[in-house]
Amino acid sequence: MININKLWENVLQKISSKILAISYEVWIEVLEPVCIYNNKLVLCAPSKTAKSCVVKNYSKTINVAISEVNSTITDNIIIEASEKEDYLNKQEVFLCDQIVIQEDIEKEDTFANFTKKFSFDTFIIGKSNEFACAAAKAVSESPGSAYNPLFIYGGVGLGKTHIIHSIGNYIKKNSPHLKVMYITSETFTNEFVDSIRNSAKSPSSTQNFREKYRKVDVLMIDDIQFFAGKSGVQESIFHTFNDLYQNGKQIIFTSDRLPKEIKPLEERLRTRFEWGLIADIQSPDLETRIAILKKKAEQNNAVICNEVIEFIAKKVETNIREMEGLLNKIIFYSSLVGKSATIPIAMEALKDFIDIKEDSAITPQDIIDYTCNYFSISLESIIGKKKTKDIVVPRQIAIYLITDLLSVPLASIGEIFGGRDHTTIIHARDKISNEIKINTKIKVAVSDLKNMIYHR
Ligand code: ADP
Ligand code: MG
């Protein structure tokens, strides 16, 4: 008998390499396999609109993928939730199949609920995350003995979940005998509350809850800052931790803040969080953000020019999820209008999401004007040949700001500044970026100018 969920999983894998990742996530991944009726795979769409879009645009792709996985199935039928009951009644035999599958899913959910696209291969390493990533790899290779517990902390959207899913995927592949469990602190809390609530009806429910988390080899709890102030759950975590730790099992936590900043948190739990290794993830620098975007574009099978990648990387500095969101919007929009993702297309795609109105776009001229005003020097002198300090420093600052805030080719900046060579531009840019670190006057001037330019 065909296991319909397994079949659909395989079909999904085939489809994912055939279409844009964003379309896959929006239209295909959300379909639910219902049954097989008259040798056709019945899939339920989440809404009427979704149904008609899938029928119109993806039916053929789905069929090609199905035929690659199972040649006995000849077609697909896309339905809405209201039609589901009908199809299930028509084919009783598949109801039985689904009962078996439900058990399968439960088993898999418990031990291997990892997102495939979150792996070490797809994780870009930069200064901001290299320590956390190295620690995660060490733990993946020898769970329970490298660092225990491993505590990863960092701001929202910086890759904590990606890293621990990578650990899960790695262990699942390389040490398949180990039982790895991933859970968010919210789910853990809900299960804990349910187990207590149900204990009147079913006395074994608290016992089951306890056992579930103590029979694993690796326990990962994501976003533990949610445990703040929940004393019952904290107590439960404390005992689970002790049991696992004493038995040499690996424990991994993530949080958006350090243990000492999670308040209120039981002291004995805080010290345990700090027992092993604490690894932080910081905001990535521009270079890393660019590398991440390139990787994401590649994963989406999308060709995006460097200018657009840089444009996005400069727009969002502290949240990779947000940055990825902008990239996806551009990819989606450019495929919708059938044009390649250039700067004008990117602007168009993002016009409702970020502040990039044409009339407010910053130009090199704006930056030069503001710099001249700030230092009370003339336009002729800033672009001229004079080499006195009172002119050279503002000139270098203006050049630095143009390279930092805009995506203008170096040669063009050279042109703007009276036909200077691009090496002169690089020298000016690097000079100021070093000076900012050691010279307070220059640091203040650059920051003042940025403020003025942004808040025109
Ligand atoms: P967090 O759990 O810290 O809030 P996530 O792990 O959910 O953040 O990451 C948000 C998004 O950013 C994910 O799509 C993830 O793949 C991506 N991401 C974060 N860091 C990296 C990185 N170094 N390389 C590639 N993708 C990354
Ligand atoms: Mg997360």
Side-chain angles (χ1 to χ4, degrees):
M1 201 185 294
I2 294 172
N3 177 331
I4 194 172
N5 282 47
K6 281 263 145 53
L7 168 84
W8 180 235
E9 228 176 68
N10 292 335
V11 173
L12 277 179
Q13 261 186 15
K14 299 270 177 206
I15 300 176
S16 69
S17 59
K18 294 183 201 295
I19 63 174
L20 284 175
I22 183 83
S23 317
Y24 173 81
E25 272 172 33
V26 174
W27 306 115
I28 308 296
E29 212 177 18
V30 294
L31 296 174
E32 180 202 348
V34 178
C35 62
I36 293 166
Y37 175 69
N38 277 349
N39 287 343
K40 292 175 184 157
L41 177 61
V42 181
L43 298 163
C44 180
S47 66
K48 210 184 180 94
T49 332
K51 175 183 163 179
S52 57
C53 176
V54 175
V55 170
K56 191 164 152 237
N57 301 319
Y58 301 104
S59 188
K60 252 199 203 141
T61 316
I62 296 174
N63 274 350
V64 172
I66 293 176
S67 65
E68 285 171 19
V69 174
N70 187 318
S71 56
T72 59
I73 302 168
T74 54
D75 202 354
N76 67 72
I77 303 174
I78 310 294
I79 60 165
E80 285 169 57
S82 56
E83 301 166 83
K84 209 162 124 184
E85 199 68 28
D86 242 21
Y87 276 93
L88 285 173
N89 289 338
K90 281 181 197 165
Q91 288 261 315
E92 236 169 87
V93 61
F94 287 103
L95 273 178
C96 304
D97 195 16
Q98 288 197 337
I99 292 164
V100 178
I101 292 152
Q102 279 307 320
E103 285 171 8
D104 261 15
I105 292 172
E106 222 170 82
K107 232 196 272 157
E108 287 204 355
D109 267 1
T110 314
F111 295 118
N113 200 7
F114 300 111
T115 307
K116 288 208 179 65
K117 65 179 182 183
F118 287 171
S119 72
F120 286 123
D121 291 341
T122 57
F123 193 78
I124 300 291
I125 300 173
K127 278 199 192 70
S128 53
N129 58 32
E130 62 189 355
F131 182 61
C133 192
K137 283 185 176 164
V139 164
S140 309
E141 269 156 31
S142 35
S145 51
Y147 307 110
N148 207 13
L150 172 63
F151 190 102
I152 299 173
Y153 85 95
V156 177
L158 291 184
K160 301 179 295 294
T161 301
H162 188 137
I163 284 200
I164 58 170
H165 275 251
S166 305
I167 301 177
N169 281 318
Y170 186 97
I171 298 178
K172 216 179 122 187
K173 182 165 172 225
N174 296 288
S175 314
H177 58 286
L178 294 181
K179 289 174 181 166
V180 189
M181 184 185 282
Y182 165 89
I183 188 145
T184 63
S185 56
E186 267 174 313
T187 310
F188 187 92
T189 306
N190 291 340
E191 286 187 14
F192 171 75
V193 172
D194 284 348
S195 75
I196 293 180
R197 195 181 295 143
N198 296 336
S199 60
K201 270 190 283 167
S202 143
S204 60
S205 76
T206 45
Q207 176 73 11
N208 291 346
F209 174 76
R210 277 168 50 111
E211 277 171 13
K212 177 174 171 188
Y213 291 99
R214 291 181 200 188
K215 64 183 177 195
V216 300
D217 298 298
V218 181
L219 177 63
M220 305 170 158
I221 309 185
D222 207 359
D223 285 323
I224 59 155
Q225 70 275 5
F226 285 117
F227 289 145
K230 301 186 174 93
S231 56
V233 189
Q234 287 183 20
E235 166 140 17
S236 169
I237 286 284
F238 175 75
H239 293 299
T240 310
F241 181 100
N242 286 347
D243 251 32
L244 290 173
Y245 188 85
Q246 277 157 18
N247 290 310
K249 309 297 187 189
Q250 178 71 47
I251 306 142
I252 304 166
F253 299 113
T254 75
S255 165
D256 69 357
R257 63 202 82 161
L258 279 164
K260 66 171 191 280
E261 287 159 0
I262 303 174
K263 288 173 189 161
L265 180 72
E266 274 189 47
E267 187 59 16
R268 56 182 186 167
L269 199 50
R270 185 185 62 73
T271 53
R272 273 160 182 78
F273 288 160
E274 292 171 348
W275 265 357
L277 182 76
I278 298 187
D280 68 326
I281 306 185
Q282 298 291 332
S283 299
D285 54 19
L286 180 65
E287 215 175 277
T288 312
R289 297 203 298 279
I290 289 176
I292 292 173
L293 284 167
K294 285 188 172 164
K295 185 83 189 171
K296 299 284 176 196
E298 181 193 308
Q299 281 176 271
N300 276 290
N301 304 321
V303 182
I304 309 281
C305 68
N306 286 342
E307 267 181 331
V308 171
I309 296 272
E310 230 173 85
F311 168 77
I312 306 168
K314 284 182 175 168
K315 277 278 166 232
V316 186
E317 295 188 355
T318 54
N319 185 333
I320 299 170
R321 190 177 300 121
E322 236 174 66
M323 192 174 77
E324 209 181 322
L326 297 189
L327 176 74
N328 286 342
K329 287 188 178 82
I330 294 173
I331 295 176
F332 193 51
Y333 185 78
S334 82
S335 78
L336 204 69
V337 295
K339 291 185 182 161
S340 54
T342 54
I343 288 278
I345 291 292
M347 299 277 220
E348 190 58 35
L350 302 182
K351 69 177 189 304
D352 296 333
F353 302 99
I354 52 176
D355 193 13
I356 43 166
K357 283 178 244 112
E358 278 303 318
D359 61 351
S360 71
I362 304 162
T363 64
Q365 194 57 51
D366 294 331
I367 294 176
I368 294 171
D369 287 348
Y370 274 95
T371 314
C372 286
N373 270 339
Y374 187 82
F375 290 102
S376 305
I377 59 171
S378 68
L379 178 64
E380 294 85 67
S381 50
I382 202 168
I383 61 172
K385 299 270 175 263
K386 231 170 144 185
K387 290 212 166 87
T388 51
K389 201 172 171 199
D390 60 324
I391 304 294
V392 171
V393 173
R395 185 183 295 141
Q396 289 177 332
I397 288 181
I399 292 173
Y400 167 80
L401 286 170
I402 294 173
T403 59
D404 192 43
L405 303 178
L406 309 178
S407 309
V408 181
L410 295 173
S412 313
I413 304 177
E415 282 297 310
I416 298 169
F417 282 84
R420 286 180 158 81
D421 190 70
H422 75 280
T423 52
T424 315
I425 303 301
I426 293 174
H427 171 75
R429 179 194 66 192
D430 295 349
K431 177 96 198 319
I432 299 300
S433 68
N434 284 331
E435 288 284 320
I436 290 171
K437 294 174 200 144
I438 48 175
N439 183 332
T440 321
K441 262 193 188 160
I442 293 201
K443 185 177 159 189
V444 170
V446 167
S447 134
D448 280 354
L449 277 164
K450 273 193 182 176
N451 268 331
M452 287 186 224
I453 293 164
Y454 276 133
H455 300 110
R456 289 169 306 154

